[in-house]
Amino acid sequence: MSVAQLGIVGSGIMGSGVAECASLNGFGVVLRSRSQSTADSTLAGIEKSLAKAMEKGRLAESERDDALGRITATSDLSELAECDLVIESVVEDIEVKKHLFHELDRVCKDHTILATNTSTLPVVELAMETGRPEKVCGIHFFNPAPVMSLVEVVRPITASDETVVSAREFAERCGKTAVEVKDRAGFVVNALLFPYLNNAVRMLESGVASKEDIDCAMKGGCGFPLGPFALLDLVGLDTSLAILDALYGEFKDPNYAAVPLLRRMVAAEQLGRKSGQGFYDYRH
Ligand SMILES: NC(=O)c1ccc[n+]([C@@H]2O[C@H](COP(=O)([O-])OP(=O)(O)OC[C@H]3O[C@@H](n4cnc5c(N)ncnc54)[C@H](O)[C@@H]3O)[C@@H](O)[C@H]2O)c1
């Protein structure tokens, strides 16, 4: 099944990034937030991001106008009814996502594929909330979605081959490289990345070096574009903590047990770029 109209639920960092990326690649996008004011401000954020791309000469004015013209921002879930594919990208919380899949199953047409952008949670549990488990899979974009080239297509044991093929084709039409992964917490990238990020926080807590020097060391010594603390701030510390908790819950590997400092920072609402403060200060 070829996708023409995409629905996105959730307008945080990832929902807005996926909307931007898909509309730039020719898909009609219905972006659903919980309130119309958030939906409108998310659309304004996408407009700003496209204006920046234009300033840098990466986008023509007509391409920007076409991309914006393809996005509808709404607070009404039933506006997703005509979508061929819906990607859920709300907070990393299994109960919230389960409730949403139940609702999406009710409002979407029978042919619609329901996908999740979860970083770690069991996709099969979301599939079993619906009457169409064979049409549910993971489509995991990376942050920032318009820039990062990878998409993990996650195959729960309930998914049909047709669903996985359609998800892969959608990702490739968004200009991404798709890899297929089994439904295991963290898939490939986060299962390997998060022990590293968690151990960087442990290293900071034990006073081996400053955060600036650890970031500098990993950039200069490993060729990484961002050090671990800049990356944690970009991902969001709340999302990072939820990812570690899900990984630890599934594997009980001590490398996944979130370091106390990370949990304390989330309790203090120091969430990284999105709250203005995390390991670094973004308020100025
Ligand atoms: N941040 C990343 O780097 C990254 C990368 C890939 C995938 N993801 C995944 O994408 C999803 C969204 O993450 P994000 O980084 O965009 O988070 P975010 O905090 O920026 O946005 C979360 C969104 O969920 C909505 N939300 C919160 N509680 C809700 C509820 N009870 N019901 C409905 N909506 C609710 C918020 O309004 C917001 O729109 C998560 O599953 C996350 O694991 C995140």
Side-chain angles (χ1 to χ4, degrees), residues 9-17 32-35 38 42 88-93 95-97 99-100 116-121 139-145 190 194 231-232 234-236 238-240 242-243 271 274:
V9 188
S11 53
I13 303 172
M14 292 308 292
S16 64
R32 190 265 181 176
S33 306
R34 282 179 295 174
S35 72
T38 313
T42 305
E88 163 283 310
S89 193
V90 303
V91 65
E92 188 77 338
D93 177 318
E95 293 309 322
V96 173
K97 288 184 192 287
H99 176 71
L100 196 54
T116 174
N117 188 34
T118 181
S119 304
T120 39
L121 298 171
I139 300 184
H140 184 219
F141 280 82
F142 289 79
N143 183 10
N190 286 335
F194 270 83
L231 182 54
L232 281 161
L234 179 75
V235 170
D238 52 343
T239 303
S240 298
I243 290 171
L271 306 182
K274 65 180 158 189

Side-chain angles (χ1 to χ4, degrees), residues 20-96:
E20 180 179 329
C21 172
S23 67
L24 277 172
N25 284 284
F27 293 95
V29 177
V30 181
L31 177 62
R32 190 265 181 176
S33 306
R34 282 179 295 174
S35 72
Q36 191 58 46
S37 62
T38 313
D40 294 340
S41 61
T42 305
L43 195 53
I46 294 173
E47 203 170 338
K48 220 164 139 190
S49 167
L50 294 177
K52 241 191 228 163
M54 249 176 68
E55 271 168 34
K56 289 185 182 157
R58 293 203 306 255
L59 198 67
E61 198 175 337
S62 61
E63 290 172 311
R64 178 201 62 182
D65 294 346
D66 289 349
L68 284 173
R70 282 191 282 265
I71 307 177
T72 309
T74 181
S75 60
D76 183 356
L77 205 67
S78 67
E79 285 201 37
L80 299 168
E82 299 305 317
C83 295
D84 308 305
L85 165 67
V86 175
I87 302 179
E88 163 283 310
S89 193
V90 303
V91 65
E92 188 77 338
D93 177 318
I94 192 76
E95 293 309 322
V96 173

